[in-house]
Amino acid sequence: MRTSPARSRRSWASGAATSSPAASCTAPSSGSSADGRSCDRTAAAADPPAPVLRLEARPDGGLDFRSELPFDSRTPPARDDEERDDDDDQDDPNEPRAKRRDRDGDDLLDIDDFANGPSRRHHGSARKLAARASWYGFEGDTLVVYLHSESSHNAVQWAELLRHTPVTGFAPGLAGTLTIYDRGDRAHLLLDGAVNFNTRRPNLDATGGTFFDRLNAAQRVDWLLGSRLRIPALAIAELGAQIHTLTDTADRWRISPIDSYLYSALLNRADREYYRRSGFAAFITAHLFEELTLGAEYRLDQYARLAAPNGVWSLFNRDDPRYGSAPVDEGEMGSAVFRLEYHSEKVPLHQVGSMWRNSETSLIASAAPWTIGLRSLNTFEVADRSLGGFFDFTKVVSDTSVTLETGRYDTVTLRLRGAGGRDLPLQKQEALGGWTALRGYDFKEFRGDGSLLGTLQVDGHHLGAFLDVGSVHLGGTGWLDPKPSAGAVLSFADGSVRAEAAWRLDGRARLAPDFRILFSVPQ
């Protein structure tokens, strides 16, 4: 439940503004079922009333404004008031275009009407009735804000409709989360689900195999089912479990889903490798002070290799070798993952958590590379035979960036990422090269059991530049010499759409850059 339906009133009068209960109301509690349309309207005090406005927040941290405006609750304005309002509604030809609005049909609230108070309003006269679709209205000198309750909310990941990978071909599907709100704000239920139909993968025969073997063999369909609880009083963002059989990847930190799917279908350049993973997970995530995220998760999965099939369609580069099949040490793996994240930009509890459980990416839904401030993701994964399976390894991932404002539209971002471990299976090893992971170099050109990556990026209103430096640790050999690259950025839509060109600066440097147009950013 987001909030109970309510009206909030705000009174305005000429003269000095002082506190008064002349026309005010308090939105009912989130557990109330009343429509909230009754308010204590006592007679005005001698002193003119001060503006009073109270809005009740949803349990998940936001506000929702909607209305079904009761026209019969207000008397029509007098004729002379209508004429005056008509005069007020005339556009000043010298007024800037950005400050004009359609007063008959615009649902936006003109804050200047209230900031200037009585000088902009006719004290004691009725206002014109607001449009039925607006979320606010006037009753005399009272502003009425209408809040609409919702008992549930559905979030759909539409990018899955366009899914295309080198190992599945087109794999259309949907993923989404249904949130059912608790009126008492005690525990909110989240139901996760995802399904994709892999057009280029047949089912395999797994007769006599384990349950996980049979899940892995059903490669025609990917699916995920899970449930989570959000408990605000305990600062628990998610407490839940899921079962899944997926064509999965460890490369979500490199490129966003929509960009990977489009480049896979158009250019045979997915910038991701995939394997089969089937199993279940149980997890708990706490979010403290709206800045610090702590989590623990248990996983038990069966891993298998997925070969890239023949005949996968792409618009260009059809004859190029397909690199989408990830190297895998097959078998059952039980592991525990511990997580610590910090975001200096405060994030409400309802934006923490995800159905996609990945050690390399954040659980903060709003995390974006251009967010001002400090962001740090740190995970530690340990696998042991006592946890199930046949693997023993440890792996650490640390990805920290800080973004500073240097002007109205200008920012500087410094990012440092390091990852590595001991006795890593092939699917857990590190690699650099490709977009956001040492731009300008070939996809995963350098592989090893550890990696270091640094990025310095300067962004303006539309133009920017970056410098990447990275190295990979090879078992028995040591660290490679640092590999640098540089590039330029042209961005639109507040940086969410970007055209990037990158040049490698090692001994194989060439004049022509690698180029990408990106429509989203990896989380």
Side-chain angles (χ1 to χ4, degrees), residues 392-407:
D392 294 279
F393 69 87
T394 56
K395 183 177 181 180
V396 176
V397 176
S398 181
D399 193 345
T400 300
S401 62
V402 59
T403 300
L404 303 175
E405 280 186 310
T406 57

Side-chain angles (χ1 to χ4, degrees), residues 9-27:
R9 299 171 180 263
R10 188 166 187 166
S11 296
W12 300 90
S14 59
T18 60
S19 229
S20 170
S24 64
C25 82
T26 302

